[in-house]
Amino acid sequence: MKKQHILEFSEYEIYTTGEYGFGQLFNHIPKSITNKEFEINNGLSNILEPRPSPSSLLNTSLQSTTNKKLISMIDLGEDFTVFVTHDNLLYVNGLNENNIFNISDFNQTKKIVKEPYLISSELYNKEEITKISCGASHFIFITNNKTIYSFGLQKYFTKINYNIHFDENYKLNSLQQGNEISLIGSGESFSVVIINNYFIYLGVKPGARKSFSLKKKQLFNYFPIKDKFAKIKQLACGRNHFILLTEDNELYGLGKNNFGQLGNNLQKEYLDSYCKLTLPNNNNFKQIQQIACGFHFTMIICDNKLFACGNNQYFQFGISSPQKFTTLTEILIKCLNEDFKVTCGGNHTIIHLMKSNQVMCAGFNGSGELGIGHDGMCLKQFKLYSRKFDKKITHVLCGRSVSIIVTQTGLEIALFKQKLLNHTLFYKNLTDLTITSH
């Protein structure tokens, strides 16, 4: 009988580049600061490759790479990193401004956290984390119990109470549909929460509420698109603006427009009501696939073509001029002939080529955030990174001055096994019921 082999192993490699002074690159110090190139980062080896327990040493069959952890979610703040492992553990590292990490014995020596810090799962009642989002100096995450947890959006850790932290519209909007959280996103001092696919709530730090013309005292205010009620498919946040993509393929933006990042050709520097963004010759396009935002610019993928508006001062659009686009403009890139995704950093851009499993970079490179060994301060055209990744790219992240690429195999299997384990433990803990006759 032919022996069957089941794929059980899971492997990962994390490539990082850019500024590391705040510990945002997992306590990894580059081999050469002048190299400015992606390097394999071993700063997570103690977390992602735990030592086998003494009991498992008794059984050699348990000693396998299935013990390794994989990253299921990861996001970058301005100078910090948040990630979740496939077994639902939450870690933070980097600049701990105002103790947003909620470290109990916090002092100034713990303002920079270089070793990833494990957030106690008791804080979120061991609920399954389903979404995370980082702002400049805050982050929020959502659990399967439809709970929102905030670190730094208000001054300290907060478990969001819908009756207290949301305005009166929440009760009206969720009366019949519940409160399924569809999307979240964050900017410098705000977070956006989309509930039930349709209802847009804007949460802003107390000191920044005037900039968004918020008058109500609650943390999250209902912010609907005027005369438009449509399902929100995607959300992307820049430093002080955000973009929405609706199910009927329309784009809406809100916030700062000083570089034209809202793409509507208006000369106003700030918009406190939504404006509609249009693609050139809009009627000829079929489907918008992705929206993404950098600090002061916006990028759109439509019909596998790239469009951009906003700040191009550092050539993050991959073209040398002009420095500012006030309308969405097609960016022509050589050799871009396959499906791709785009990730925007502070002032740089990385394109992930899906089929060839490679990346292209352009924009600011003052801290080596492009990771391709380019010596200049900026790269004016998109350049293909020569490295061939032998594992599938699962995450590409761009921060203010860092970039991270996570490559992994076996993530789906690891997540499936973890869910299976959780169910097994749940039923194991149930009390046996004995049926007795009367």
Side-chain angles (χ1 to χ4, degrees):
M1 185 176 178
K2 198 171 183 179
K3 187 182 277 188
Q4 291 184 338
H5 295 278
I6 301 174
L7 182 64
E8 291 187 353
F9 65 87
S10 55
E11 295 287 345
Y12 77 92
E13 283 177 340
I14 298 171
Y15 299 84
T16 58
T17 185
E19 184 181 336
Y20 62 92
F22 294 111
Q24 61 267 56
L25 295 185
F26 321 117
N27 203 24
H28 173 77
I29 298 177
K31 297 174 185 176
S32 171
I33 297 174
T34 59
N35 193 27
K36 293 187 175 182
E37 192 167 348
F38 278 108
E39 293 180 356
I40 292 180
N41 187 313
N42 295 315
L44 292 179
S45 57
N46 291 334
I47 292 169
L48 300 182
E49 299 182 30
R51 295 178 180 178
S53 63
S55 60
S56 69
L57 292 173
L58 299 175
N59 186 347
T60 55
S61 65
L62 294 177
Q63 296 180 56
S64 69
T65 51
T66 54
N67 253 353
K68 290 186 178 180
K69 296 186 180 185
L70 294 177
I71 293 174
S72 58
M73 286 171 270
I74 184 169
D75 201 9
L76 284 170
E78 200 148 291
D79 293 302
F80 68 96
T81 309
V82 178
F83 65 95
V84 181
T85 53
H86 79 272
D87 54 350
N88 200 48
L89 295 180
L90 176 67
Y91 293 88
V92 291
N93 58 278
L95 183 61
N96 184 27
E97 192 72 49
N98 298 319
N99 195 25
I100 62 169
F101 298 167
N102 199 49
I103 298 176
S104 57
D105 55 344
F106 174 76
N107 54 54
Q108 288 303 308
T109 63
K110 295 183 179 178
K111 190 173 181 178
I112 294 178
V113 180
K114 293 188 175 181
E115 287 285 346
Y117 176 76
L118 176 63
I119 301 289
S120 172
S121 59
E122 300 296 332
L123 276 179
Y124 50 96
N125 301 315
K126 298 183 179 179
E127 297 167 11
E128 180 185 349
I129 299 170
T130 57
K131 297 177 179 68
I132 59 173
S133 175
C134 294
S137 58
H138 75 279
F139 68 96
I140 65 173
F141 66 89
I142 314 300
T143 69
N144 61 335
N145 283 353
K146 306 175 184 179
T147 309
I148 305 172
Y149 293 91
S150 161
F151 288 73
L153 188 57
Q154 290 192 307
K155 191 171 182 181
Y156 301 109
F157 165 77
T158 307
K159 179 180 178 180
I160 299 300
N161 184 316
Y162 289 98
N163 293 321
I164 296 174
H165 296 111
F166 278 67
D167 67 19
E168 70 281 359
N169 290 285
Y170 169 76
K171 290 182 179 179
L172 298 173
N173 294 335
S174 62
L175 190 61
Q176 296 180 344
Q177 301 184 54
N179 64 334
E180 190 67 41
I181 300 169
S182 315
L183 299 166
I184 59 172
S186 298
E188 180 183 30
S189 57
F190 69 92
S191 286
V192 180
V193 175
I194 312 293
I195 295 181
N196 296 331
N197 296 306
Y198 290 91
F199 303 107
I200 308 157
Y201 292 89
L202 179 61
V204 182
K205 287 187 175 184
R209 294 178 66 81
K210 286 184 179 180
S211 63
F212 283 90
S213 303
L214 296 179
K215 298 177 181 178
K216 297 178 181 178
K217 64 180 181 178
Q218 288 86 357
L219 178 61
F220 283 93
N221 287 190
Y222 182 45
F223 231 87
I225 303 171
K226 188 177 180 181
D227 301 325
K228 181 74 177 180
F229 188 71
K231 184 177 181 179
I232 308 299
K233 281 178 60 179
Q234 291 185 38
L235 161 69
C237 296
R239 191 177 178 92
N240 293 294
H241 76 290
F242 66 92
I243 305 294
L244 301 168
L245 170 64
T246 66
E247 189 176 37
D248 50 2
N249 218 36
E250 292 184 340
L251 295 164
Y252 293 89
L254 179 76
K256 274 199 172 181
N257 191 43
N258 50 330
F259 288 97
Q261 57 264 52
L262 296 182
N264 58 2
N265 208 23
L266 295 175
Q267 301 307 310
K268 294 178 68 175
E269 287 202 358
Y270 181 81
L271 296 178
D272 56 7
S273 60
Y274 293 96
C275 67
K276 188 174 181 179
L277 291 77
T278 56
L279 292 163
N281 302 316
N282 192 43
N283 293 333
N284 296 330
F285 295 107
K286 296 178 181 178
Q287 190 63 47
I288 296 173
Q289 290 130 329
Q290 187 198 350
I291 57 176
C293 295
F295 269 13
H296 308 297
F297 63 99
T298 301
M299 285 190 159
I300 309 292
I301 300 175
C302 182
D303 294 348
N304 237 33
K305 296 178 180 179
L306 183 65
F307 299 84
C309 61
N311 184 23
N312 186 43
Q313 183 179 356
Y314 301 99
F315 317 108
Q316 51 266 55
F317 298 168
I319 52 179
S320 56
S321 64
Q323 291 191 350
K324 184 169 82 169
F325 289 76
T326 58
T327 59
L328 284 168
T329 304
E330 184 176 355
I331 308 299
L332 300 176
I333 304 173
K334 294 179 181 179
C335 305
L336 193 59
N337 51 11
E338 62 179 276
D339 291 344
F340 66 97
K341 292 182 179 179
V342 64
T343 305
C344 302
N347 294 297
H348 69 290
T349 305
I350 295 181
I351 290 174
H352 172 202
L353 304 175
M354 306 295 288
K355 184 177 179 181
S356 56
N357 204 45
Q358 289 183 278
V359 296
M360 304 172 72
C361 312
F364 189 67
N365 194 46
S367 298
E369 49 265 69
L370 296 183
I372 56 175
H374 180 67
D375 289 332
M377 288 292 289
C378 297
L379 185 61
K380 296 183 179 181
Q381 293 182 327
F382 279 101
K383 181 178 178 181
L384 184 67
Y385 183 43
S386 59
R387 180 189 289 270
K388 294 278 188 179
F389 299 99
D390 59 350
K391 300 176 183 65
K392 181 181 178 181
I393 296 174
T394 57
H395 304 87
V396 178
L397 297 105
C398 297
R400 179 180 64 86
S401 56
V402 300
S403 297
I404 298 175
I405 296 174
V406 181
T407 66
Q408 299 179 124
T409 58
L411 177 59
E412 294 83 1
I413 294 174
L415 288 169
F416 172 76
K417 286 186 174 182
Q418 187 62 40
K419 285 191 176 183
L420 191 62
L421 176 63
N422 292 343
H423 283 296
T424 302
L425 292 174
F426 173 76
Y427 286 111
K428 187 178 179 181
N429 290 332
L430 289 178
T431 305
D432 289 336
L433 297 177
T434 304
I435 301 175
T436 58
S437 58
H438 293 280

